[in-house]
Each structure stands twice: as structure tokens, then as C-alpha cells.
Amino acid sequence: MKSVNAKYELKDRAYLGPTSCDNDLAFLMANISGVKKDDFVLDPFLGTGGLLIPPSHFGAHCYGGEIDARVLHGYGVGRFNQKSKFKLNGDKPNIYLNFKQYGFETPEIFRMDASNMRFARGEYFDTIVCDPPYGWRATVRS
């Protein structure tokens, strides 16, 4: 597992935010959730998308929800990691950059409030992985 994780280390990831989840923790969460190829996985608190990197690695179809439009469009919250070996080539830094960096299918992303997910009432997703916001390092402005 260590050799797989090394490929996705935060220090080399193209797009980071103030609350980017530790890579080892993200892989542990995906493993505990039993994520496998062709599963449908949701992260309702998407942030910069780090929790969807491991499910993408395992071949899952990923979906994310985020209430903060600044995060979705790369305005001021996330940033391009200058230490990354990934080259922008005219791309604007945003959530999709990490998936492009690793050659993964980009996730479907919804701007939504996770406390009001109407589609979650059905059986649409095989698993949900998330790191809910605690309000310490990141808050949503109204």
C-alpha cells in the first residue's frame, strides 16, 4: 500500500486547500468503506476533492457536493501547489486538476447543502466517504 500511496502524496498534489485530507487517511477511509471498481461513491463535503482520489484509484464513479462556490471554481480557497511536478498548461487551478493530474475520470460535482440532499433518500450510492467540516479551519460565508 505504501508504494501506491506515495504516488498521491499531498506534497506532490496539484491542487490543495486549507483542509486537504491526509492521503493515508483518505485511502484508509476508502478501504474501510469497501470501495471497489464501478461503485458509485459520494463525498457530500467535497472541499478540494482529496477523499475522492482513492475511490478513483480503485475505479469507482465519483460524485461530490460542495456548498462553497469559491471552492468549486478555484477562487481563493484552494491553491495550486507550486511544489507539484504537475504543469498547469493553461489550466485554471480548481478541483478537477488533481483528477487530471492522475489521469482519473473527473467526478460529477453538485453545488449543494449536505443537510438537504434530496437524492440521498434513494439507493443511488454504494458508499459515502466524507470528512465533515468542523468550522475550525474552514467556514462558509453567507
Side-chain angles (χ1 to χ4, degrees):
M1 182 67 126
K2 200 61 170 167
S3 62
V4 171
N5 282 359
K7 178 179 179 180
Y8 305 111
E9 288 293 332
L10 288 181
K11 64 182 176 68
D12 297 322
R13 193 167 293 167
Y15 188 68
L16 297 172
T19 60
S20 293
C21 185
D22 177 73
N23 188 52
D24 290 333
L25 180 58
F27 266 91
L28 285 169
M29 291 171 73
N31 281 324
I32 289 169
S33 299
V35 174
K36 59 191 177 306
K37 184 173 176 39
D38 292 326
D39 276 359
F40 287 84
V41 177
L42 171 68
D43 178 356
F45 307 101
L46 186 63
T48 55
L51 283 182
L52 292 182
I53 297 294
S56 295
H57 169 83
F58 294 129
H61 305 283
C62 295
Y63 297 79
E66 177 59 50
I67 194 169
D68 192 342
R70 297 173 305 153
V71 175
L72 295 176
H73 299 292
Y75 300 130
V77 177
R79 62 175 170 74
F80 179 71
N81 179 8
Q82 298 296 331
K83 295 177 183 175
S84 171
K85 295 175 184 145
F86 184 78
K87 302 297 179 219
L88 280 175
N89 296 327
D91 292 323
K92 183 179 185 300
N94 59 35
I95 292 173
Y96 299 110
L97 209 55
N98 292 331
F99 298 89
K100 185 175 182 180
Q101 175 183 8
Y102 300 124
F104 295 145
E105 176 183 326
T106 56
E108 294 292 330
I109 298 177
F110 311 102
R111 181 166 186 226
M112 66 177 209
D113 181 344
S115 68
N116 191 17
M117 296 188 310
R118 302 227 187 277
F119 63 86
R121 291 191 175 97
E123 295 182 12
Y124 301 110
F125 297 102
D126 297 299
T127 193
I128 295 174
V129 294
C130 67
D131 183 16
Y134 305 107
W136 293 90
R137 293 185 290 171
T139 59
V140 176
R141 297 177 186 159
S142 50

